[in-house]
Amino acid sequence: MGEVHVNGVRLYYEEHGQGEPILCIHGTSSSALVWRPAAIAELSRLGRLIVYDRRGCTRSERPDPYETSVVQHAEDASGLLQVLEAVPAVVIGRSYGGETAVELALRHPAQVRALVLLEAALLTLDREAMQWAEELRAAVEDAAARDVSSVAETFLRRVLGDEQWGSFPDQLRQMFVNNSPAILAEFRGPWLEATATDLARIEVPTLLLAGEGSPLAFRRVTERMAAAIPNSRTFLVGGGHFIDPGEPEVLKFVGEVLGR
């Protein structure tokens, strides 16, 4: 584990295993703490796994005042990979982290060897998905107006469901709550607005996963991304939006890309 300074902020990161680089980018509200230890172990058998806390989240620096965007997080990921001499990398992104991974691939294609998108939240691709997203954004803003510490619970109950929220250990729930200001900043900042034409420029192998129990908006967006990205394949897995990077389909895909 360590820290690096990238684009004016301090980023916390960890490395596991050796070999060709694999980068995991977490979603809104979370950090590298959300990656299941068993998934980290499996991925680190395939290569040099790098996990980190995005700016504004948990152990990385949160500027004050904090405003951000998908582009900013993509540039942070690019800077991190360059500092660690870890390019090109297989990039795994969940939700907002998937948006970040897509933007990274579009802005810095030479740094990305392959993409794994765990319900990348590119909600601007689909009108119905955006209607759902706008309702979610309104709920988050209402929660912030009442009590900023309630933002995380409001957000995660709507995205993951009441049962998933209730299953989190107290320590993990507190981490989400502490990241409430980061959730707000990510909702208020510009989202990724890549079009199908933009996605068609992604040439690297791409795996897209959607969860059976997720809000339908994510399924709609995943299907649109799959139709637009030329060298892509899609799998539907059990569970909700918190898709695990240790899913067999992910491990098989990463192993194929890395020749393992």
Side-chain angles (χ1 to χ4, degrees), residues 74-238:
E75 291 299 335
D76 285 351
S78 171
L80 177 67
L81 289 175
Q82 291 180 73
V83 169
L84 298 181
E85 298 181 347
V87 293
V90 175
V91 181
I92 302 172
R94 179 198 278 160
S95 196
Y96 190 99
E99 287 182 86
T100 302
V102 169
E103 183 69 14
L104 175 65
L106 291 173
R107 296 173 72 88
H108 303 284
Q111 295 184 2
V112 178
R113 185 168 181 173
L115 284 173
V116 178
L117 305 177
L118 310 178
E119 288 198 330
L122 216 173
L123 297 165
T124 55
L125 265 183
D126 182 86
R127 185 175 62 182
E128 290 187 25
M130 272 304 295
Q131 290 176 348
W132 177 85
E134 291 297 350
E135 293 172 2
L136 176 60
R137 176 158 31 198
V140 166
E141 290 289 356
D142 287 346
R146 294 192 305 271
D147 177 2
V148 69
S149 66
S150 70
V151 165
E153 181 174 353
T154 298
F155 167 68
L156 289 172
R157 282 188 184 277
R158 283 179 172 255
V159 173
L160 304 180
D162 295 336
E163 184 177 349
Q164 177 75 75
W165 171 258
S167 72
F168 289 130
D170 290 343
Q171 184 179 6
L172 197 57
R173 262 203 303 267
Q174 189 59 52
M175 180 207 72
F176 293 132
V177 170
N178 293 343
N179 281 336
S180 288
I183 299 172
L184 276 175
E186 290 173 16
F187 265 93
R188 291 171 176 172
W191 297 355
L192 178 60
E193 295 191 3
T195 65
T197 301
D198 295 325
L199 296 177
R201 294 194 284 111
I202 296 176
E203 298 179 349
V204 296
T206 301
L207 175 68
L208 301 101
L209 266 65
E212 291 180 340
S214 281
L216 184 59
F218 293 112
R219 181 93 55 85
R220 293 180 64 88
V221 168
T222 297
E223 291 171 353
R224 287 187 176 273
M225 287 189 291
I229 299 173
N231 188 12
S232 66
R233 64 181 91 162
T234 309
F235 282 95
L236 184 65
V237 297

Side-chain angles (χ1 to χ4, degrees), residues 57-72:
C57 299
T58 313
R59 294 159 295 187
S60 288
E61 184 178 355
R62 181 183 300 155
D64 186 18
Y66 182 41
E67 299 175 350
T68 193
S69 67
V70 173
V71 169
Q72 187 175 62

